[in-house]
Amino acid sequence: MQENQLTELEAFFGSNGGLAEVIPGYQPRAAQVEMAEAIARAIEANQNLIAEAGTGTGKTFAYLVPAILSGKKVIISTGTKNLQDQLFNKDLPVIRKAIKMPFIAALLKGRSNYLCTYRLKNALTSTLGFSKEDAVALAKIQSWSKRTKIGDVSEMSEVAEADPVWYQATSSLDNCLGQDCPDYADCFLVKARKKAQESEILVVNHHLLCADWSIRDSGFGELLPDAEVVIIDEAHQLADTASNFLGITVSAKQMNDLAKDALMEYFKDATDMPALRTACEDLEHEVKDMRLAFGIELKRGDWQDIENNPKISGSLTAVKDQLQRLADQLELASVKTKGLDSCFKRADELLQQLKIILEDNSGKWIRWYETYKSTFTLSRTPLDIAAEFRSFMQQHQAAWIFTSATLSVANRFDHFANNLGLSNAASESWGSPFDYANQSLFYHPKGLPQPNDPSFIPLIIEFAVPVLQASKGRAFFLFTSHRALKEAAELLEKKVDFPLLIQGSRPKALLLEQFKAAGNAVLLGTSSFWEGVDVRGEALSCVIIDKLPFASPGDPVLKARLDAMTKQGRNSFFEYQLPTAVIALRQGIGRLIRDVTDRGVLMVCDPRLLKKSYGQIFLDSVPAMKRTRDIEDVRAFFQDED
């Protein structure tokens, strides 16, 4: 690495450097500079690097600055769309002000995040009709469509991103007409992709990265331009996302959407084919019957559940046969219009995917299903993605940088590297700059019940209430299951006077706003609150965790992976279950201290932490906090604030 580049980095992050000029109260952090230098060296040498950086290191700037200064074509992939927006709309503009070098940056999301003017027009002129609420929402979207420059649906605050009505105003890979679309010249997605091709720094998310990889086997697919550097932020999430995309999923929603779209095309251009209308309506009916056949319980289940249940397997055969009938009708109609031809291609593709899932007996894939309130999914997921990912990286000779606050288990990176098949990556770790010894306290009371005790939740509530009283609320109470959360919420209502905010009662962003505003609330959450949530200051001064976050051994995907490892003579608990749980616990603990002035108490209610030999691996992965088993120390810690 050239000496002047390292000097340039050190100066940029220094107390009189570029960042100090644009960030009020900026303080240089040694770990941030070291991380930036390590990334600069990896980019220069075209090497792969696993870079773990504790909370508060400032890892986003630590990878953005060397990436921009390298002058190379860079793709940055984040864990979620929210982080993508934050990086593009908040972090990059700060760097742009601070750095003396011009650069072109672009943001690219998946297709369904962009307004499709053709589908919106189709919906507005449809004779099928909409509910009053949907009609109002579509009118708002139409009004926004005349103002927007980029067509990103996240701009449109008047209609929630999760509102199903967006299906009428966005396209999917299934229903996009591509270059045959009459609105192709003004397509927002096409414009976004063009910008992506022309940019030097492209910000995507893991879903888009993996979707594109799964479309084309050789390097990046058509969406993502060639890059010399690929930076994966929140890299601990990548293996799960990749696993989903390398598999196949057929959902009730896909089949219902196909039936609705085909029906819309029928009323427009094929009313002389009544059998087409019947085929659409019959498919919706069979899909509904299959959802009912699964029963009311919401669950993820093994494929054997379907094969062993004549009602479900019979229903599945009826769905496949009806999908075939619809495909046959659409093939006859496909000569009439592009819209009908597009529906035929979708029906044929769905049918092929469903057959692949139904007929797979190779042993390389896991077949499973999941039921939701009114829909279901049928999936085929790879047992292992390491070999696939390794060949993907080899085909695409870039410098790959993997970064997150939680990639190691007891200071080793084997679990992360093995999952992705990374055999030749260097690894470095930088601890958090926060003073955990003085800013935090780890409380693990004596006499805790065993996690398999039927009265585990009522008993741990008795231990948690004095902690909540000492902290005056201001707590996240994190659970490993929805059932435990529900039980705890009912008990806590009678025992504490603080505002209780329950996950699922309102959208996540709204709950977080209420939590910050209240100043004394207790937020009860499951997995989605264990990571990616940033509450700084006194509003969050306590994190209580019910159990060590081992994934449910009944989960069909996990069970199949563990069985396969056991057959290979490997120890699935120590190689897979334990490291995954350690990383999840580290994410949960990471909610507590988010700033140099934060103070807080961590409470873990699982006695296995000290009673089981593997508990030490969890303890070795936790920041260097003071530890206590006495509630009086907790009270004293909070009294020091007063």
Side-chain angles (χ1 to χ4, degrees), residues 367-430:
R367 292 188 297 162
W368 54 285
Y369 69 89
E370 185 159 14
T371 57
Y372 304 87
K373 201 168 162 187
S374 57
T375 182
F376 62 84
T377 54
L378 307 170
S379 301
R380 185 184 89 151
T381 303
L383 258 174
D384 181 18
I385 65 154
E388 287 267 7
F389 194 79
R390 186 164 49 239
S391 74
F392 173 51
M393 285 176 64
Q394 282 164 354
Q395 285 161 359
H396 197 80
Q397 291 296 321
W400 287 75
I401 315 290
F402 301 90
T403 184
S404 165
T406 55
L407 294 174
S408 66
V409 175
N411 303 313
R412 293 178 64 92
F413 292 96
D414 309 16
H415 174 68
F416 174 76
N418 292 343
N419 271 352
L420 290 175
L422 307 178
S423 49
N424 60 346
S427 58
E428 292 199 46
S429 186
W430 296 273

Side-chain angles (χ1 to χ4, degrees), residues 52 91 146 174 234 256 275 288 290 322 353 362 390 463 466 474 528 546 623:
E52 181 180 66
D91 299 330
K146 292 173 179 147
D174 290 337
E234 299 300 322
N256 283 332
K288 194 175 183 180
M290 183 164 173
Q322 193 50 52
Q353 290 184 327
S362 66
R390 186 164 49 239
F463 284 98
R474 305 185 298 160
S528 61
D546 72 334

